[in-house]
C-alpha cells in the first residue's frame, strides 16, 4: 500500500510549477477511497472466502495501486523539489530519509511487534528480513505479517531512488531532464525485471509478481512522473485527462475481473496491466489536483479517513484475525457474518483513530518541530 504522509501536499503556483503547501481535498479523497477499497476488500471475506473472490481481488488491487501512485506524487514530488533547490546532497538525503522514516517506521515496527506476539506460538519465519524490509524483495512475501508487502516496496523505493537521482544529478547536472532520466532508469529496470521473470519463471500474478518488490518500483514512479508533468498540464487538458483516465481505468477493471487462474497465465496481466492501471490513476490525480473543494460536512470525514489511512491499513488485518479466531464463522450471507463485518469496520476505525491521535500525530509533531528548529 501506498502510504502517504499527510503533513504536506502540493499546490500549483502561477508559473505552473508544483510546490509543497497545505492539504488538497482531491488527494485526501483519493487516499480515503484507497483505504476504503482495502477495507471493503478484506471485509468481503466475511461473506465470501478470498479464493475466487473477484470483488475482493479487484478492490484490493485498485486500493493499493492508488496508494502507490499517490505516494510517488507526494513523496517523490518532495524529492523533486529538493533536487531542484540545489540543496547539498549531504543535507538533502539525510533530511529526506529522516522525514520519511520518522513518518513510517514507528507504526511499522509497532505492528511488526504485534504480529510477532500474535503468532509467537504458531511458528515464525526468519525475522531479520522484516526489520530491513527485505521480506519480499525478490520472492513472495511469507504468510506472517503479509500486509507488510506494500510497505516494504515503498521503503525500498525511497531508499534506492534518491541514490539513483543523486547519481544522475552528479553526472548530468541537477535539471528536470536528469531527474526524469533517473526516474526512467528505475521505471524501465522494474518493468524489465518483471517481464523477464514472467518469461523465465512463469510466476502467478498475485504472489509472484504484484507483491514482489523488485517488480513494482514502477508503480510509485508513475506518481513521480505525474508530479513532474504538472507544469506541462494546462487547464484545457484536464477534461481529456478525466475522460481518458476513466476509460483506461474501466478497461483495467474489466481485465482484473477475469478469473485469477486466467490472470496467472496472462502475459499482459502480469506485466503491462499494472502500468495501464497506474496511467489511469495518474491521469485522475492530475485532473483533480488543486481544483476539488470538498463540502464541509463530507470534508471532515474524508480528511479524517485520509489521516487514519496508514493506521487503518496496518490495524485491519489483526482485527480480522482476532474476529475470525473468536467467532470461527464460515463465509456466507447471514446475520452473524453481517454483524462480524460491521464489528470489523467499527473496531478498525476506533483503533486507527486512537492510534493516529495518541501515537502517530505526536511523533509527526515532534518531527516537524525538529525540522523547524534546525531550519
Amino acid at each position: 500500500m501506498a502510504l502517504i504522509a499527510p503533513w504536506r501536499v502540493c499546490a500549483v503556483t502561477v508559473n505552473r510549477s508544483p510546490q509543497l503547501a497545505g492539504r488538497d481535498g482531491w488527494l485526501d479523497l483519493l487516499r480515503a477511497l484507497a483505504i476504503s477499497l482495502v477495507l471493503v476488500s478484506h471485509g468481503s471475506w466475511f461473506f465470501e472466502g478470498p479464493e475466487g473472490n473477484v470483488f475482493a481481488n479487484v478492490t484490493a488491487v485498485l486500493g493499493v495501486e492508488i496508494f502507490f501512485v499517490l505516494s510517488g506524487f507526494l513523496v517523490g514530488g518532495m524529492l523533486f523539489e529538493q533536487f531542484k533547490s540545489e540543496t547539498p546532497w549531504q543535507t538533502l538525503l539525510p533530511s529526506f530519509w529522516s522525514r520519511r522514516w520518522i513518518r513510517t517506521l514507528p507504526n511499522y515496527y509497532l505492528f511488526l511487534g504485534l504480529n510477532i506476539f500474535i503468532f509467537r506460538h504458531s511458528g515464525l519465519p526468519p525475522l531479520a528480513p522484516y526489520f530491513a524490509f527485505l521480506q519480499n524483495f525478490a520472492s513472495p512475501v511469507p504468510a506472517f505479517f503479509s500486509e507488510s508487502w506494500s510497505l516494504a516496496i515503498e521503503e525500498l523505493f525511497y531508499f534506492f531512488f534518491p541514490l539513483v537521482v543523486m547519481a544522475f544529478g552528479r553526472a548530468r547536472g541537477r535539471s528536470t531532464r536528469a531527474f526524469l532520466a533517473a526516474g526512467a532508469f528505475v521505471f524501465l529496470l522494474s518493468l524489465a525485471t518483471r517481464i523477464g521473470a514472467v518469461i523465465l519463471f512463469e510466476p502467478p500474478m498475485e504472489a509472484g509478481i504484484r507483491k514482489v518488490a523488485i517488480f513494482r518500483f514502477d508503480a510509485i514512479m508513475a506518481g513521480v512522473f505525474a508530479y513532474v508533468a504538472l507544469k506541462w498540464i494546462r487547464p484545457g487538458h484536464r477534461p481529456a485527462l478525466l475522460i481518458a483516465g476513466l476509460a483506461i481505468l474501466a478497461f483495467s477493471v474489466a481485465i482484473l475481473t477475469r478469473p485469477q487462474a486466467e490472470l496467472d497465465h496472462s502475459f499482459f496481466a502480469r506485466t503491462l496491466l499494472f502500468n495501464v492501471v497506474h496511467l489511469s490513476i495518474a491521469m485522475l490525480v492530475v485532473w483533480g489536483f488543486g481544483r476539488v473543494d470538498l463540502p464541509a460536512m463530507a470534508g471532515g470525514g474524508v480528511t479524517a479517513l485520509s489521516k487514519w489511512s496508514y493506521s487503518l491499513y496496518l490495524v485491519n488485518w489483526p482485527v480480522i484475525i482476532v474476529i475470525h479466531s473468536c467467532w470461527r464463522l464460515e463465509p456466507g450471507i447471514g446475520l452473524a457474518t453481517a454483524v462480524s463485518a460491521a464489528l470489523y469496520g467499527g473496531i478498525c476505525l476506533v483503533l486507527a483513530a486512537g492510534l493516529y491521535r495518541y501515537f502517530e500525530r505526536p511523533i509527526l509533531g515532534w518531527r516537524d518541530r525538529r525540522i523547524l528548529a534546525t531550519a
Side-chain angles (χ1 to χ4, degrees):
M1 151 202 162
L3 302 168
I4 315 301
W7 68 89
R8 288 276 192 252
V9 296
C10 317
V12 180
T13 61
V14 175
N15 66 2
R16 308 191 59 75
S17 176
Q19 291 184 346
L20 302 175
R23 301 195 72 89
D24 182 89
W26 177 243
L27 301 186
D28 273 346
L29 182 61
L30 289 177
R31 191 186 299 112
L33 172 63
I35 192 59
S36 297
L37 288 170
V38 173
L39 294 177
V40 167
S41 170
H42 294 169
S44 71
W45 295 351
F46 288 102
F47 304 98
E48 181 181 357
E51 295 298 328
N53 188 335
V54 174
F55 175 82
N57 293 340
V58 173
T59 50
V61 169
L62 292 180
V64 175
E65 301 309 316
I66 291 172
F67 271 127
F68 280 151
V69 175
L70 283 174
S71 175
F73 187 84
L74 291 173
V75 185
M78 292 177 63
L79 177 63
F80 177 65
E81 295 298 335
Q82 290 179 304
F83 174 80
K84 291 200 308 177
S85 72
E86 299 290 339
T87 303
W89 290 110
Q90 61 269 29
T91 301
L92 187 156
L93 292 181
S95 172
F96 178 82
W97 284 330
S98 63
R99 188 179 185 90
R100 170 71 189 173
W101 290 337
I102 294 171
R103 167 73 182 103
T104 57
L105 296 192
N107 260 16
Y108 175 85
Y109 287 122
L110 173 66
F111 278 87
L112 175 58
L114 177 63
N115 275 269
I116 292 172
F117 175 79
I118 291 175
F119 293 103
R120 66 191 186 281
H121 300 308
S122 303
L124 296 172
L127 295 176
Y130 286 87
F131 286 92
F133 298 97
L134 297 173
Q135 60 267 41
N136 60 321
F137 176 70
S139 59
V141 64
F144 171 77
F145 198 21
S146 59
E147 65 272 29
S148 67
W149 70 270
S150 63
L151 313 182
I153 291 171
E154 285 209 41
E155 295 307 321
L156 290 171
F157 177 88
Y158 289 119
F159 179 74
F160 289 114
F161 180 55
L163 296 176
V164 176
V165 169
M166 181 179 69
F168 276 79
R170 286 180 168 174
R172 307 183 61 173
R174 293 176 70 161
S175 63
T176 299
R177 181 174 296 181
F179 187 89
L180 289 174
F185 173 80
V186 172
F187 182 94
L188 293 174
L189 181 63
S190 179
L191 177 59
T193 56
R194 187 162 71 240
I195 292 174
V198 170
I199 293 173
L200 296 174
F201 306 114
E202 282 290 327
M205 177 183 177
E206 182 71 7
I209 293 291
R210 190 171 83 89
K211 296 182 178 180
V212 177
I214 58 173
F215 304 146
R216 301 306 321 282
F217 292 154
D218 55 334
I220 305 173
M221 203 64 242
V224 181
F225 287 149
Y227 181 89
V228 178
L230 272 175
K231 66 179 182 179
W232 293 299
I233 302 298
R234 300 186 180 279
H237 297 155
R238 291 183 183 269
L241 285 174
L242 175 62
I243 295 171
L246 291 175
I248 296 171
L249 182 62
F251 168 77
S252 305
V253 170
I255 296 177
L256 289 170
T257 56
R258 304 300 301 168
Q260 191 62 49
E262 182 178 322
L263 296 176
D264 286 342
H265 292 89
S266 166
F267 178 83
F268 177 76
R270 291 177 293 168
T271 55
L272 298 178
L273 177 60
F274 295 105
N275 303 115
V276 174
V277 173
H278 304 149
L279 177 62
S280 68
I281 296 170
M283 286 179 167
L284 295 175
V285 168
V286 173
W287 169 80
F289 173 68
R291 65 196 304 263
V292 173
D293 293 321
L294 299 174
M297 184 174 297
V302 168
T303 300
L305 200 57
S306 172
K307 290 179 176 180
W308 302 343
S309 60
Y310 187 20
S311 295
L312 278 168
Y313 184 83
L314 285 165
V315 79
N316 84 95
W317 192 242
V319 170
I320 285 181
I321 292 173
V322 171
I323 291 177
H324 275 292
S325 64
C326 292
W327 288 45
R328 300 185 182 280
L329 294 173
E330 291 295 326
I333 304 298
L335 178 61
T337 51
V339 170
S340 298
L343 192 63
Y344 156 73
I347 292 175
C348 286
L349 288 173
V350 169
L351 291 179
L355 188 63
Y356 176 78
R357 179 172 182 177
Y358 298 109
F359 187 71
E360 278 190 74
R361 192 166 68 179
I363 293 173
L364 293 175
W366 171 82
R367 182 204 62 188
D368 291 342
R369 289 192 299 271
R370 174 177 170 271
I371 292 172
L372 288 173
T374 57

